[in-house]
Amino acid sequence: RVQLVESGGGSVQAGGSVTLSCAVSGVTFSRYCMGWFRQTPGKEREGVAVVSAAGYNTYYDDSVKGRFTISRDNAQNMLYLQMIALQPEETARYYCAAVGCSGCSSGSRCYEMLKKGSTYWGQGTQVTVFS
């Protein structure tokens, strides 16, 4: 059984920082592209950051470049998202996502697979940024 379990969400003042974690089980983690998506009520889920299976290549949405850092620990089957300088408009439920693609060598390719492939999703963790 595949499980993705996010943690680390909460409330933070604008300009503050939050680090999210995602514990993954039930898959060969090192063969999976991993990503973080976020969603607010009434809006489509949007990709935030993606990392390739080996962890060497990443993709970031333009809105978070320079502020968010995605990383993974393939020995521990863990995915992370460090977020700094958060803004109220980034209040959302953040989801961890996984798709098998060991041959996806670029972050952008991983992102396309996460959007269109047989993606596994976590239940999400809420991040609320207040002004």
Side-chain angles (χ1 to χ4, degrees), residues 8-59:
S11 295
V12 63
Q13 193 167 20
S17 304
V18 170
T19 296
L20 305 181
S21 301
C22 176
V24 181
S25 60
V27 299
T28 305
F29 185 69
S30 61
R31 296 179 182 177
Y32 275 66
C33 290
M34 298 296 302
W36 289 97
F37 288 68
R38 63 189 178 191
Q39 188 172 25
T40 55
K43 292 187 177 181
E44 288 190 5
R45 195 172 297 186
E46 62 175 0
V48 174
V50 171
V51 62
S52 61
Y56 299 132
N57 298 291
T58 56
Y59 163 88

Side-chain angles (χ1 to χ4, degrees), residues 59-98:
Y59 163 88
Y60 292 95
D61 184 78
D62 286 344
S63 66
V64 307
K65 283 180 180 177
R67 298 186 299 116
F68 289 15
T69 303
I70 189 170
S71 61
R72 63 189 295 163
D73 183 339
N74 282 1
Q76 300 294 326
N77 288 14
M78 293 293 297
L79 178 74
Y80 303 98
L81 183 67
Q82 295 177 290
M83 305 184 290
I84 66 171
L86 283 160
Q87 299 303 311
E89 57 267 28
E90 296 181 299
T91 292
R93 193 160 186 86
Y94 285 71
Y95 295 88
C96 174

